[in-house]
Amino acid sequence: MNTLERLSVDAGDGALRVYAKGSAARAPLLILHGMQDVAASWFPLADALTSTFRVYLPDLRGHGESHMPGRYHFNDFVYDLHRTLDRSEEHTSELQSPDHLVCRLLL
């Protein structure tokens, strides 16, 4: 089983916690949790996907171990995800989320 890495991403007004699992040689996959949830809810799925992907699981702003800046505008969440993708230094080939509007805006 692959080790779960704990990364920190600078979001400008605080830090985001991003978990990564799987070999850096694999295609990246970013999985987003829904509102009022946390990245850890996807850990079992990430375990199953590491044979194919390097999985990135961010705690969105105000959730889990990420900062709580006091403002939660949709554009801030999109900016945070762009920062997360920049931090990975890879181009994400797949993006999965229960919030399909976010997926469409990022892709």
Side-chain angles (χ1 to χ4, degrees):
M1 190 173 300
N2 294 302
T3 303
L4 184 68
E5 299 172 47
R6 294 178 67 201
L7 310 173
S8 183
V9 174
D10 177 13
D13 58 356
L16 300 174
R17 171 66 64 212
V18 178
Y19 300 93
K21 193 164 185 105
S23 170
R26 303 232 184 259
L29 172 68
L30 178 65
I31 301 178
L32 306 178
H33 63 77
M35 299 309 288
Q36 299 182 356
D37 202 353
V38 294
S41 64
W42 292 111
F43 287 175
L45 178 63
D47 287 337
L49 295 172
T50 57
S51 63
T52 306
F53 298 101
R54 175 158 172 83
V55 181
Y56 292 94
L57 305 151
D59 272 333
L60 300 176
R61 67 173 45 222
H63 295 77
E65 294 184 21
S66 289
H67 70 290
M68 296 187 177
R71 93 178 197 184
Y72 303 94
H73 297 287
F74 184 78
N75 291 341
D76 296 320
F77 287 105
V78 173
Y79 174 78
D80 292 347
L81 296 175
H82 278 281
R83 296 293 299 217
T84 300
L85 296 175
D86 288 345
R87 168 66 167 79
S88 74
E89 298 179 2
E90 300 169 351
H91 296 287
T92 301
S93 59
E94 299 287 337
L95 174 65
Q96 296 296 321
S97 170
D99 301 314
H100 300 291
L101 180 59
V102 173
C103 291
R104 277 186 257 137
L105 284 174
L106 286 173
L107 299 175

